[in-house]
Amino acid sequence: MKTGIFTSAGKGIGYGHYGRCRALKEGFAEKSIDADLFIHGECDRGIAGEDSVITDWIKDVSLCKGYDVCIVDSYLTTEEQLNKIASYGALCVFIDDCMRLDYPEGIVLNGSVYAEQLPYAGKPSQMILAGSRYAMLRRPFWDFDDYGENRSGIFLSAGGSGAEEISAHICRLLLDNTDADIFIISGSKPVDSPRVHAFFGLSAAEMADLMSARLFAVSAAGQTSYELARTAVPSVLFGFAENQRINLENWEKTGFALSVGFYGNKNFDNIMKRALTDIQDTDKNRAMSALGPLYVDGQGVRRVVSMIAEVTQ
């Protein structure tokens, strides 16, 4: 089963799409299936790995030819381009987060929480795989079971690209409204304080360890929110891109996270302060923590790969 995975990552894009596509590549490898991974964008080779191809496949979608299975995960593709890719004859898997387009026939995959409730119209030869049971996490999160009792500190992630200003602002709010140390994903400390510790370029296993040791998290409502749920780290979530709106709304509905809306909105700081007060309440924190793994059990990649393999038999 010749498989190609096509995504976007890097400067101005972030690495959320790459992370779940890397996870799919590893899921296929677990079943002894090699999958080629193509990345569009200014992507750091140290993050992408030597086994991926960094190229502008969006400009030249003919690179998607010749595969039995073609998986596409990028907000930068147009409906016309996806129809062109589908015309090459492969089983196409379109990874979606927010019903972005009217996808061609094939498999539409949305691993977002409560995505099964979205009104996908569906087509005669289209399969919809939706809901957080299909959340595609990186390999160290698949069988994660290190739920420590003695957690401390705050995990902070403002997104993979262009988040310096947001990180600095939220970091100051945390310094003013908590007493805990802050463990931030950033190339440098956004605020000069002995309570702030910056980490960059962590492996997925190192990220799982860093997250799971924290009492709670403040994070953008993207792919990271699913890893936080898996590691049972209750979270305060904010948005800075429209595609995160559904996650903001639905994670709050689950009870696992508190939504403070979009960064930059009126009263953002006051809403954040109230959320920080709530999540530091011991009973509330424990109740929120217990809900995360109920929604994300880590087996999403295996479910997706098994379904694709079954369809192509």
Side-chain angles (χ1 to χ4, degrees), residues 31 43 94 107 111 127 148 155 170 190 226 238 261 283 285-286 299 309:
K31 285 188 171 293
C43 185
F94 304 105
I107 297 175
M127 177 183 292
F155 177 88
I170 293 177
Y226 291 85
F238 63 90
D283 291 340
N285 184 284
R286 287 176 179 168
Q299 301 308 301

Side-chain angles (χ1 to χ4, degrees), residues 50 90 283 310:
E50 295 299 326
D283 291 340
E310 182 179 328

Side-chain angles (χ1 to χ4, degrees), residues 88-104:
Y88 297 146
L91 169 66
C92 289
V93 181
F94 304 105
I95 300 179
D96 179 58
D97 294 295
C98 52
M99 300 182 64
R100 188 177 71 91
L101 297 173
D102 180 17
Y103 292 97

Side-chain angles (χ1 to χ4, degrees), residues 44-306:
D44 186 324
R45 172 57 74 183
I47 296 176
E50 295 299 326
D51 60 345
S52 60
V53 179
I54 300 176
T55 185
D56 192 352
W57 62 268
I58 292 179
K59 184 177 180 180
D60 182 13
V61 295
S62 66
L63 289 170
C64 301
K65 281 184 178 180
Y67 287 98
D68 301 309
V69 176
C70 183
I71 300 169
V72 183
D73 184 7
S74 174
Y75 291 152
L76 302 178
T77 51
T78 65
E79 196 168 315
E80 180 181 5
Q81 287 173 316
L82 295 183
N83 280 315
K84 183 69 173 177
I85 292 169
S87 74
Y88 297 146
L91 169 66
C92 289
V93 181
F94 304 105
I95 300 179
D96 179 58
D97 294 295
C98 52
M99 300 182 64
R100 188 177 71 91
L101 297 173
D102 180 17
Y103 292 97
E105 293 186 350
I107 297 175
V108 176
L109 170 59
N110 186 337
S112 301
V113 62
Y114 291 153
E116 66 274 18
Q117 298 179 8
L118 292 174
Y120 284 104
K123 295 179 178 179
S125 298
Q126 191 177 72
M127 177 183 292
I128 308 295
L129 303 179
S132 57
R133 70 190 309 269
Y134 297 109
M136 294 164 285
L137 307 187
R138 294 176 292 175
R139 190 176 190 115
F141 295 90
W142 297 357
D143 299 313
F144 179 87
D145 62 359
D146 186 16
Y147 300 106
E149 288 293 325
N150 299 314
R151 298 185 175 196
S152 63
I154 305 162
F155 177 88
L156 173 59
S157 174
S161 179
E164 294 83 2
E165 179 184 344
I166 299 174
S167 295
H169 185 102
I170 293 177
C171 206
R172 293 189 188 97
L173 285 171
L174 289 172
L175 289 170
D176 290 342
N177 294 276
T178 72
D179 297 321
D181 280 12
I182 301 163
F183 298 80
I184 182 170
I185 304 304
S186 175
S188 60
K189 292 171 65 168
V191 177
D192 185 16
S193 167
R195 286 172 52 199
V196 177
H197 312 274
F199 301 83
F200 186 72
L202 298 181
S203 68
E206 291 169 332
M207 184 71 86
D209 288 341
L210 185 68
M211 284 181 178
S212 61
R214 308 284 75 86
L215 183 62
F216 69 90
V218 178
S219 174
Q223 183 70 6
T224 300
S225 64
Y226 291 85
E227 295 180 348
L228 290 166
R230 178 71 182 119
T231 52
V233 183
S235 302
V236 175
L237 300 178
F238 63 90
F240 62 84
E242 181 59 31
N243 63 284
Q244 295 172 346
R245 184 177 298 278
I246 292 176
N247 275 344
L248 280 176
E249 295 173 353
N250 287 342
W251 271 127
E252 184 157 64
K253 290 177 184 176
T254 68
F256 162 72
L258 302 175
S259 170
V260 294
F262 282 82
Y263 179 80
N265 280 1
K266 184 179 179 181
N267 293 326
F268 177 86
D269 287 10
N270 289 332
I271 296 170
M272 175 66 80
K273 291 174 185 177
R274 288 196 295 271
L276 292 175
T277 297
D278 287 347
I279 205 167
Q280 290 179 86
D281 178 84
T282 300
D283 291 340
K284 186 173 183 65
N285 184 284
R286 287 176 179 168
M288 292 172 66
S289 174
L291 291 170
L294 298 181
Y295 286 90
V296 181
D297 67 2
Q299 301 308 301
V301 166
R302 289 176 172 138
R303 289 189 183 100
V304 170
V305 170
S306 294

